[in-house]
Amino acid sequence: MYSMKSNQNEAAPPKWMDRVLECFCAPHLLEEVKGDLHERFHLRAKRIGASKARKYYLREVFSFARPYIMRRNVSNNTLKIAMFKNYFKIAYRNLINKKVYSGINIVGLSIGITCCMLIFQYVAFEKSFDSFHEHETDIYRVLPGFGRGDEKVEFKGAYTPQSMAPAFKEAVPEILHITRVHTDNVIVSDAAHPDKVFEEDEVLYADPDFLKMFTFPLKSGNIRQALLPGTALLSEAAALKYFGEDNPVGKTMAVTGQVQQDYRVVGVFSGVPDNSHLQFEILLSMDNLLKGQGYANEPEGGWSWNNFGTYIQLHPDANRELTEQKLTKVLLEHRGEALQHQGYRSGIKVQPLKDIHLNAEITGALNEAMGSSRTVYFFTIIGLVTFLIALINYINLSTARALNRAREVGVRKVIGAQKTQLVVQFLCDAALTNFIALVLALAATAWLIPYVNNIADTHLSTALWLHPDFWLVFLVTLLVSTLLSGLYPAFILSSFKPVTVLKGRLSSFSSQQWLRKGLVVLQFAASIVLITGTVIIYNQLDYMRGRDLGLDIEKVLTIEGPRNLQEGIDRANATASFLNELRKIPGIEQAASSHSLPGQRFNWNGASIRKATDDPANALRGVATYVDTSFAKLYGLELLAGKGFEDITISTAEDAPWPVIINENLVKSLDFEGPSTAINEMLDIGGYEAQVIGVYKDFNWTSAHQEQQNVVLGPSSTGRHLSLKVSTSDLPATVDKIESLYNQFFPANVFNYGFVDQIFDRQYRNDIRFAKLFGLFAGLAIFIACLGLFGLASFTSQQRKKEIGVRKVLGASVGSVVKLLNIDFIKLVIIGFVVAVPVAWYIMDQWLADFAYRIEIGTGVFLLAGLAALFIAILTVSGLSIKAAISNPVDSLREE
Amino acid sequence: MKRTDLGEFEEVVLLTVAALTPQAYSVAIAEDLENHSSRTVTTGAVHAALQRLENKGYVKSHMGEPTSERGGRRKRIFTVTIAGSRMLQDVREVRESLWDRILPQSLPQTNYV
């Protein structure tokens, strides 16, 4: 491109070099320096020609690359401070003058930030699990994996047998420490006061390495004796409970759990932090559990009962993959043959300690405090979306109000303000609003934490605020939200041309309309996604909790059978006569005993089941529990074929096959033609010979997350879970009667009761928490979006006051004016709806994929959410539209 | 801290300012120096020397009128201060007293025009 520049010499210095100069030269020196350079250039050009002069020019420019040229004018500092003061003063005045807009911005932003802070704390807590251990990065949990036939070996559980740890420790030098853990719930008493008994649910048996690996510092006592045979350690709370103010160290306590044993207390540890996946009040020596009845007689050399968790601490330099290979080798040496016989291929992986909590799909042998990475991920997204909606409000309202401030911008520019100064000024506006919002949000968070903890069963606390990182995040949030909310409006406002704005009408203003509309669409799309999500989550919850289980768990009261039985008393007989006595109490219709309850885990998970005649490689995986003869009737199990346990006499002969009742699902899995063909068939269940005596219709023992399993019921009359079907209007009296009977039958035990439907429902507490938090945040997000819409609508109706006046003078009705004003917003909501539907469908389908029993997403949900959003939008806007429509046109038209 | 010494280049620039007053400014000085020596003198070097001299208090400056060859930009015009004048006198005296002490036969003959 070339152009004729008549007023300039043809020889001109290269523009790009001038630009280089502009980059480094301080503004206050630029005029002088550039002048010098240009004058010198022209002198040279006259003397030696333009092209040579240009070559010199570069050298000339760089001859100015000196520190004093680059240094910005420092003497202006006081002036700058004064300007900043002025910016904030103006910002403050704007805040005070436009109370509605400022209010909407501040309230919106502070709610958004509050949501973010609550979610941030929740996420920080979930991510902090097990990070307090000194050797955190070297500790792993052992995951044995199984696969059958050609299937991939899957690592889905952390259940290991007792003999695994010693074998590993002996053969793999990379292992510094190794410990097995096993949970129990026990009855405890001070050996000096055996009459005072306590129940303790959180008991952990562990090997002596346990305290070397994990960081649970002792408050008192001797760590060298910790977890040696016959020793116990207590948490501070437990020590206070059992021994009062006395020093517990050296005292003896009697514990009845899986084994009955006296332990000497050798230490007290401060309580286990909330963010530990291992939760326990008492630590007992693993040795005592293994030597007690049960595990001491475990078949197959202690390799068959997978009831233990195994944790290892590797040498810091150890290679994880290599160690896993070595561990697999050790496992196969010991178990290869036996597993092959059962049709399994097997392997070992180790799971880093920090990955345990958020990987709930890998279940453990303990009552771990499990989280969900999916939940954390969902909430992070919701937090950001809420924040985004609040930021959009600010951007929309600021750009919409630009017209009001255009004159101010014009005057400032005429006086000599530069664009950067105006940008800084508008960023100051944003900073002030954001700062106020942030402070309010802090207060709101502190105030809300107890409520959120209460409704959502979380462990949030303001203790985190003492951490310097928190304040760093605070400052970063202030900076980021100021820039995000302020930058765009600042550039829009500062780019107005003074001549245009001061002349009067500013028409270029409409060019940002599309952006503002786009942002409103985005806000409403996000809101509709959240509404849809809430509805679907609650629908799924209702569906899960209300679905037909095939088990009648209503009005079933459950009590725990005795742990402590006096010497010489047979458990089966004692339980039977106790149940008989209970049946005599009016209001108790039926009574039964079992080894587990609906909503709890089965007793035997991962049993390998096949027809006795089948190849072991084709065995299926199933679960089993043991029930008495009254159980099926009490829970309303429907017999499809064969007999129930109540209809047969169970042979006590050594070689008699084990009579079992299986569910319909197992009948199908085993390829029987129908329930009746399965009767009397022989099965091999985990090496035991079993005979099918009956088939029950499928029932749901566990939550809707779990698909139908292959269930085996075995007969037993020693179950410790007693179920009582009650039909009484006076429950407390009945419970009192049960309690006194219990104490009479089983002294030195603790009476506990519950309801099976509640126990069952407890499986959904994570889902319920998720639903509540989701609903809460969705509601807040929608509220913020409405605030923004309200602000925008009030602005628009003000903007169009004259137009409305003219329309009314020309005969427009109130209704038509309201319609005119509303239609713009309704269009945006509808576009938002179109955007939201596929997004919501995709996200919620992902969420539902987690459930084996799930609802399908119907169109009704979307319609509902869309109509709700539309309704909310119309409600928000209409008040203002009506107000604008019924105003007297004289008021709006008489000026000017 | 103000430095009071005077470098060789600074001295030359200071003398040129005195010589060109009242129209002493960086471009003029640089051109002048370039004319009186065989090497290129960049404006930046002169500007920097003037800046140092001003910091030391030997020159003072004010902004002049804009001119068209500068693209309508103003120039900074320098004049020698009393301190600068005194400094130049001192330097001259030192030099002259030294010259006075040189015997004619002490310097080898040079042949220049």
Side-chain angles (χ1 to χ4, degrees), chain A residues 484-688:
Chain A
L484 283 180
S485 59
L487 217 47
Y488 179 72
F491 274 103
I492 291 298
L493 286 165
S494 58
S495 63
F496 288 146
K497 295 215 163 45
V499 179
T500 343
V501 284
L502 291 180
K503 258 186 186 165
R505 274 285 164 271
L506 182 69
S507 51
S508 68
F509 163 70
S510 61
S511 63
Q512 295 110 38
Q513 287 276 18
W514 68 267
L515 181 93
R516 204 153 49 241
K517 283 181 177 167
L519 291 175
V520 171
V521 167
L522 196 67
Q523 276 185 321
F524 266 84
S527 302
I528 291 168
V529 170
L530 289 173
I531 297 175
T532 320
T534 312
V535 175
I536 290 176
I537 289 169
Y538 273 96
N539 279 350
Q540 170 69 13
L541 259 189
D542 281 350
Y543 167 75
M544 286 195 294
R545 297 166 82 183
R547 94 199 142 112
D548 181 18
L549 297 175
L551 280 173
D552 185 12
I553 57 170
E554 301 268 308
K555 291 184 183 159
V556 180
L557 189 133
T558 173
I559 57 179
E560 239 182 277
R563 272 164 204 290
N564 279 326
L565 274 182
Q566 280 152 318
E567 295 263 332
I569 291 184
D570 178 59
R571 180 173 288 273
N573 287 339
T575 308
S577 50
F578 178 56
L579 288 178
N580 271 335
E581 285 303 313
L582 284 176
R583 291 189 185 106
K584 289 178 189 159
I585 297 176
I588 296 185
E589 295 178 344
Q590 298 174 60
S593 75
S594 57
H595 283 258
S596 177
L597 287 174
Q600 293 183 339
R601 288 159 49 87
F602 283 95
N603 299 94
W604 190 357
N605 295 285
S608 113
I609 306 172
R610 62 184 165 92
K611 288 183 191 168
T613 52
D614 267 0
D615 182 12
N618 298 329
L620 306 161
R621 278 174 83 97
V623 292
T625 187
Y626 319 106
V627 302
D628 75 353
T629 51
S630 316
F631 185 86
K633 183 158 176 265
L634 191 147
Y635 282 102
L637 291 177
E638 191 183 326
L639 198 62
L640 293 178
K643 294 170 177 165
F645 294 127
E646 60 277 16
D647 307 320
I648 60 163
T649 36
I650 292 154
S651 165
T652 49
E654 272 291 308
D655 55 349
W658 185 35
V660 294
I661 305 180
I662 61 178
N663 70 345
E664 215 181 336
N665 194 53
L666 182 54
V667 170
K668 279 181 210 137
S669 309
L670 285 171
D671 278 338
F672 287 119
E673 269 169 37
S676 46
T677 51
I679 304 303
N680 291 331
E681 289 291 325
M682 301 303 289
L683 302 181
D684 179 293
I685 301 177
Y688 295 94

Side-chain angles (χ1 to χ4, degrees), chain A residues 370-427:
Chain A
M370 294 312 286
S372 155
S373 49
R374 190 182 290 252
T375 312
V376 166
Y377 166 79
F378 260 93
F379 281 138
T380 311
I381 302 264
I382 297 175
L384 292 179
V385 167
T386 319
F387 190 39
L388 188 74
I389 292 179
L391 288 180
I392 289 177
N393 275 357
Y394 188 94
I395 295 171
N396 272 351
L397 290 181
S398 313
T399 49
R401 278 169 57 210
L403 201 62
N404 295 353
R405 296 192 72 175
R407 198 153 285 159
E408 177 193 338
V409 172
V411 171
R412 275 177 187 273
K413 278 201 168 174
V414 166
I415 292 170
Q418 280 162 7
K419 194 175 168 179
T420 44
Q421 285 176 308
L422 286 166
V423 169
V424 171
Q425 190 207 330
F426 288 114
L427 280 180

Side-chain angles (χ1 to χ4, degrees), chain A residues 37-56:
Chain A
L37 285 170
H38 281 213
E39 185 178 349
R40 194 85 196 276
F41 175 83
H42 290 302
L43 287 173
R44 277 219 176 87
K46 256 183 239 158
R47 208 163 53 228
I48 53 175
S51 63
K52 275 191 182 165
R54 273 194 200 101
K55 276 179 199 144
Y56 272 104

Side-chain angles (χ1 to χ4, degrees), chain A residues 121-129 357-358 370-372 376:
Chain A
Q121 287 196 270
Y122 170 77
V123 172
F125 176 75
E126 288 290 306
K127 295 240 176 204
S128 75
F129 260 75
H357 175 69
L358 287 178
M370 294 312 286
S372 155
V376 166

Side-chain angles (χ1 to χ4, degrees), chain A residues 197-399:
Chain A
V197 291
F198 301 93
E199 184 166 44
E200 188 54 72
D201 285 334
E202 298 188 325
V203 177
L204 210 61
Y205 294 94
D207 285 312
D209 275 0
F210 184 83
L211 285 177
K212 291 181 198 151
M213 299 166 62
F214 296 105
T215 309
F216 294 112
L218 290 195
K219 281 262 171 175
S220 63
N222 188 345
I223 193 144
R224 251 175 280 154
Q225 291 179 2
L227 297 171
L228 293 179
T231 61
L233 296 112
L234 300 179
S235 73
E236 275 184 302
L240 193 69
K241 195 158 118 195
Y242 307 138
F243 297 104
E245 299 291 334
D246 300 348
N247 180 11
V249 176
K251 290 222 162 77
T252 305
M253 55 186 218
V255 177
T256 310
Q258 299 203 358
V259 288
Q260 208 164 352
Q261 175 80 32
D262 284 358
Y263 294 89
R264 192 163 49 85
V265 179
V266 295
V268 174
F269 52 87
S270 36
V272 176
D274 281 336
N275 59 351
S276 167
H277 86 280
L278 293 166
Q279 289 289 334
F280 53 91
E281 295 292 330
I282 303 180
L283 273 177
L284 297 176
S285 164
M286 176 61 77
D287 192 68
N288 293 90
L289 175 72
L290 298 180
K291 294 227 171 89
Q293 59 180 42
Y295 286 112
N297 307 321
E298 188 181 337
E300 300 180 56
W303 280 94
S304 66
W305 296 346
N306 293 316
N307 294 338
F308 297 82
T310 303
Y311 293 83
I312 56 175
Q313 183 185 336
L314 294 184
H315 192 277
D317 301 330
N319 179 321
R320 190 173 143 196
E321 280 80 37
L322 210 66
T323 313
E324 284 173 344
Q325 285 168 20
K326 286 186 185 181
L327 294 174
T328 304
K329 216 175 125 220
V330 178
L331 175 73
L332 294 180
E333 270 166 30
H334 285 85
R335 295 293 293 163
E337 217 171 299
L339 287 167
Q340 204 174 14
H341 183 69
Q342 288 176 26
Y344 285 116
R345 290 183 307 116
S346 174
I348 296 284
K349 275 204 187 307
V350 293
Q351 179 187 29
L353 184 62
K354 65 170 169 37
D355 290 355
I356 294 177
H357 175 69
L358 287 178
N359 276 306
E361 63 275 9
I362 298 178
T363 52
L366 313 169
N367 311 317
E368 293 100 342
M370 294 312 286
S372 155
S373 49
R374 190 182 290 252
T375 312
V376 166
Y377 166 79
F378 260 93
F379 281 138
T380 311
I381 302 264
I382 297 175
L384 292 179
V385 167
T386 319
F387 190 39
L388 188 74
I389 292 179
L391 288 180
I392 289 177
N393 275 357
Y394 188 94
I395 295 171
N396 272 351
L397 290 181
S398 313
T399 49

